[in-house]
Amino acid sequence: MVKIDVRNAFNTIRRDVILARIHERCPEVYPLAYQAYHLPTPLHIGDQTVLSATGVQQGDPLGPAAFALGVDACARAIRSPLNVWYLDDATIAGPADVVQSDLHSLAKALTELGLQLNPAKCEVAIIDAAPQLAQNAAVDSIRSVLPEITEIPLHSVTLLGAPLQDASLTAAANGAAELIGRLCTRLTHLDRHTGLFFLVHYASAPRLQYLLRSAPLYKVVPVLKLVDELVRETLVDITNVNINDQLWEQAKLPFRLGGLGVRSVEDLALPCYISSLHAALPLLRSISPGLLPASGVPPTLQTAIHRFSEVTGTEQLPPASAVSSQRAWDTLSATAIRDKMVNSANQLHRARLVAASQPHTAAWLQAVPVPSLGLHLDEESVRVAVALRLGATVCEQHRCRLCVLCSGIGGVYLDRLCGPTSVCLGAPLPALS
């Protein structure tokens, strides 16, 4: 298997080739493309002007499609059994002699488009169990075309960023943990509301959606727990609320079930992967029906569903019409967690959990914190709001001058002096950070 890299592809592809392909395949958009690319594009740098005569312009919505049309003929000429392209990233695999021939032809065809292979960034891997001598001969044949190509072990092979073997899962998950760690460190420098918003919507599980859906990361639970702990520590730093294990169980629930929406990658790993496999089955059947067993369900999917039932403690599965919906699987998993919390909670916390699950109670967590629109909460309001939603300690235990002895959780007190809707915020806790 060879992963192909094209040097500076988007900036060097010939524009006349692109325009010819667009005129041939998409004549309805040709006038727009012609107006944009038939003459060199002036790029202004201070007082200087540079004429850009090749490649597609960065930021052009038509750019990726135009590039894909330009290299389409090259991609279709490949004879290797596996031939996967995503814009300028290509992966081909097959017998060594076929792959070698394809690389020869591809290098020549790309040159006619103004493109060049970048051997130093290309990779080759042996994906069958051939004898070592045969493997060495196969790599040598590829190096006759790309002398600087890098040979990588099978356990490190990825396809479009997704690991292809279970042995690669730990490395991929560790890379994700490093990314989340860097993002979390930066979020602590923002104000509380902005930091919380980005943690919920961008910097935690949402950043790993592609990896969670394309690889069975549920098999590397220790690394997922590490990622979750990084997110939890960041949540504590941002909100200045002491979130213990019990509170974290609620915090990682979705908004609709009373949580903060800071989703756990460990909880999402199975729903993401199972729904993705179900969604891909129709395409897999159409491309290569012989790969599927007689039951039509791959063993990997059966294993994942069995594991899902073990984790959730229920045999209930989404209806057939919703098996490809990540939300359907996630709802079953998150509901099981929420139900355990409700069943084990006392009357006060049970009421709080039910109330937090009502519609619109998490609207403040979903609103973009824009000060000019009055949607930005101050530091203390965020701390108190998070603590009240989770049932965390808002203040130290004290005797309030308006009510009875306050336990510190900021609950509602029905004392005659306080009034029926007063919330005691009392003496604030010292900063945790």
Side-chain angles (χ1 to χ4, degrees), residues 284-365:
L284 183 58
R285 292 190 184 100
S286 65
I287 294 177
S288 185
L291 291 178
L292 294 176
S295 64
V297 181
T300 52
L301 180 55
Q302 295 176 348
T303 302
I305 293 176
H306 178 69
R307 179 59 181 161
F308 179 84
S309 298
E310 290 181 345
V311 171
T312 59
T314 177
E315 296 296 327
Q316 182 182 2
L317 300 178
S321 60
V323 290
S324 60
S325 167
Q326 179 179 319
R327 181 187 177 98
W329 292 92
D330 180 39
T331 298
L332 289 176
S333 175
T335 301
I337 296 174
R338 201 278 304 268
D339 289 346
K340 290 179 182 178
M341 295 176 59
V342 171
N343 294 334
S344 61
N346 58 31
Q347 186 175 4
L348 173 64
H349 288 292
R350 187 179 297 116
R352 177 183 53 77
L353 287 168
V354 173
S357 304
Q358 299 307 302
H360 311 302
T361 57
W364 65 276
L365 286 165

Side-chain angles (χ1 to χ4, degrees), residues 232-307:
R232 174 179 166 181
E233 291 174 357
T234 305
L235 180 62
V236 171
D237 290 340
I238 290 175
T239 62
N240 199 31
V241 175
N242 188 14
I243 300 177
N244 56 29
D245 293 343
Q246 182 180 358
L247 300 182
W248 173 242
E249 287 296 308
Q250 181 185 349
K252 64 183 183 178
L253 291 175
F255 299 130
R256 63 185 182 278
L257 295 180
L260 291 179
V262 186
R263 303 310 312 279
S264 160
V265 292
E266 182 184 1
D267 293 345
L268 286 176
L270 280 165
C272 286
Y273 187 64
I274 294 174
S275 60
S276 178
L277 278 179
H278 274 293
L281 281 180
L283 180 61
L284 183 58
R285 292 190 184 100
S286 65
I287 294 177
S288 185
L291 291 178
L292 294 176
S295 64
V297 181
T300 52
L301 180 55
Q302 295 176 348
T303 302
I305 293 176
H306 178 69
R307 179 59 181 161

Side-chain angles (χ1 to χ4, degrees), residues 38-97:
H38 80 288
L39 292 176
T41 306
L43 304 178
H44 302 285
I45 306 175
D47 297 333
Q48 298 181 346
T49 300
V50 177
L51 295 180
S52 173
T54 62
V56 294
Q57 289 298 311
Q58 184 175 3
D60 180 9
L62 187 62
F67 180 88
L69 285 173
V71 299
D72 181 64
C74 296
R76 293 181 182 276
I78 298 294
R79 298 183 298 112
S80 297
L82 176 66
N83 179 26
V84 181
W85 288 66
Y86 181 76
L87 298 177
D88 60 334
D89 291 324
T91 300
I92 61 176
D97 57 336

Side-chain angles (χ1 to χ4, degrees), residues 6-25:
V6 181
R7 181 180 287 111
N8 200 18
F10 280 85
N11 291 327
T12 56
I13 189 169
R14 287 171 48 186
R15 291 185 176 180
D16 59 329
V17 173
I18 290 177
L19 290 175
R21 298 293 185 272
I22 293 177
H23 185 270
E24 175 187 349
R25 304 280 292 275

